[in-house]
Amino acid sequence: MDKINLYKGERIDQLFSTDVKIIQNKDVFSYSIDSVLLSRFPKFPSKGLIVDLCSGNGAVGLFASTRTKAPIVEIEIQERLADMANRSIHLNQLDNQVRMIHADLKNLLDYVPRSGVDLILCNPPYFKDHETSIKNNSEYYLLARHEITTNLEEICQVSRHALKTNGRLALVHRPDRFLDIIDTLKKYNLAPKRVQFVYPKQTKEANLLLIEAIKDGSLSGFKILPPLFVHKENGDYTDEIHRIYFGKTEKDEKNNSNH
């Protein structure tokens, strides 16, 4: 493997349930649980073409590479983040499967065939441009979190043109945008099919949602999946989250260490 250069402030993190390593920088961009959950949510095609929109440092597409042999195209508007992703692709020796494109997602069809994509993943900016104070955010987080360079409408429009008939779009987003998400998906003939709400704890309100839609699909058969809880009341990860992060539950680990 070629030597990978790390710049000031960068580190290499690993999702322990996979062999995937990701170059991160807390001042520029670091993936969080939303990226991990999105990379686990849809059913992945074994072949065809997968696209990761708003890919940041490439975490979603890199994690997804462990679930399919299909080629994955990542697209990111911020050059610094795209560069981090490129180096992570080399670090994981995934150059033959994963490709990062530094471009505006409006131009996706310059890089993939129209109506040629089987699955689109997207961890988009969550906040409308006018929401919350943005003065203290770094430029990188500002663009990643706020709908400045893209928005939900544009993401659905681009997905509509890129997906095959019956191709799927999987998003992670915020529950307070749920009705907006449903309306926008339907506007672009993307039929919502599955949603799962994610809760920090059983006693807290949901703070994330995962949703999957099918291009030109029927509006019947919409499913609300069982809730996903991240933490137990004592702050530990729930068994389901522990399994996602580490490949096994805390109980399994304890049992193994006792043998």
Side-chain angles (χ1 to χ4, degrees):
M1 182 180 70
D2 295 336
K3 186 176 186 309
I4 301 296
N5 291 322
L6 292 181
Y7 304 138
K8 184 180 176 182
E10 290 183 345
R11 65 184 191 271
I12 296 174
D13 288 346
Q14 181 172 358
L15 187 67
F16 290 101
S17 59
T18 72
D19 294 328
V20 173
K21 299 175 177 67
I22 309 284
I23 296 171
Q24 308 248 76
N25 182 330
K26 67 179 175 58
D27 296 323
V28 178
F29 191 89
S30 296
Y31 75 81
S32 54
I33 192 167
D34 45 5
S35 298
V36 179
L37 295 180
L38 177 60
S39 73
R40 293 279 192 282
F41 182 62
K43 183 181 178 187
F44 283 86
S46 57
K47 55 186 181 179
L49 180 60
I50 296 170
V51 168
D52 175 23
L53 298 178
C54 308
S55 59
N57 67 344
V60 173
L62 287 164
F63 294 147
S65 71
T66 66
R67 309 180 73 79
T68 177
K69 298 294 185 207
I72 299 169
V73 172
E74 301 190 309
I75 187 162
E76 169 56 45
I77 196 169
Q78 297 195 64
E79 186 175 9
R80 178 78 188 273
L81 275 56
D83 175 64
M84 289 167 72
N86 256 324
R87 286 180 286 130
S88 290
I89 291 167
H90 300 325
L91 177 66
N92 292 282
Q93 299 179 295
L94 285 168
D95 302 74
N96 291 331
Q97 184 184 7
V98 184
R99 178 167 65 114
M100 164 53 75
I101 294 162
H102 168 227
D104 190 319
L105 64 81
K106 290 187 196 72
N107 302 321
L108 177 65
L109 293 183
D110 292 345
Y111 304 95
V112 302
R114 180 181 291 272
S115 303
V117 178
D118 295 85
L119 172 65
I120 292 177
L121 304 162
C122 186
N123 181 356
Y126 292 156
F127 301 104
K128 292 190 175 182
D129 188 13
H130 59 76
E131 286 181 14
T132 73
S133 172
I134 57 178
K135 292 172 186 160
N136 295 327
N137 284 337
S138 78
E139 176 193 355
Y140 304 106
Y141 281 106
L142 179 63
L143 296 183
R145 291 175 174 168
H146 294 264
E147 291 186 331
I148 295 170
T149 59
T150 192
N151 56 40
L152 184 62
E153 181 106 10
E154 188 172 86
I155 287 161
C156 290
Q157 185 177 34
V158 166
S159 298
R160 161 89 194 146
H161 292 307
L163 286 170
K164 295 176 177 175
T165 297
N166 294 326
R168 286 170 296 130
L169 168 64
L171 292 166
V172 59
H173 219 298
R174 288 173 57 87
D176 59 8
R177 299 287 302 274
F178 183 44
L179 297 181
D180 189 15
I181 293 164
I182 294 287
D183 287 346
T184 311
L185 288 170
K186 288 163 64 178
K187 178 178 175 180
Y188 290 98
N189 288 342
L190 299 165
K193 285 296 181 182
R194 300 162 65 235
V195 68
Q196 184 173 40
F197 291 93
V198 182
Y199 299 77
K201 294 181 178 179
Q202 283 198 3
T203 52
K204 302 284 188 184
E205 292 182 0
N207 63 349
L208 286 175
L209 67 81
L210 297 154
I211 189 163
E212 186 177 52
I214 294 181
K215 177 180 171 179
D216 297 331
S218 162
L219 289 174
S220 62
F222 178 65
K223 292 180 180 176
I224 297 177
L225 303 180
L228 181 59
F229 300 105
V230 176
H231 296 284
K232 302 174 186 174
E233 287 306 311
N234 67 2
D236 292 346
Y237 283 136
T238 59
D239 285 351
E240 193 163 1
I241 297 298
H242 206 278
R243 190 179 295 112
I244 287 169
Y245 268 104
F246 300 101
K248 51 195 163 188
T249 66
E250 207 168 9
K251 185 176 177 184
D252 292 337
E253 286 183 343
K254 286 176 181 171
N255 288 340
N256 289 338
S257 64
N258 291 334
H259 288 313

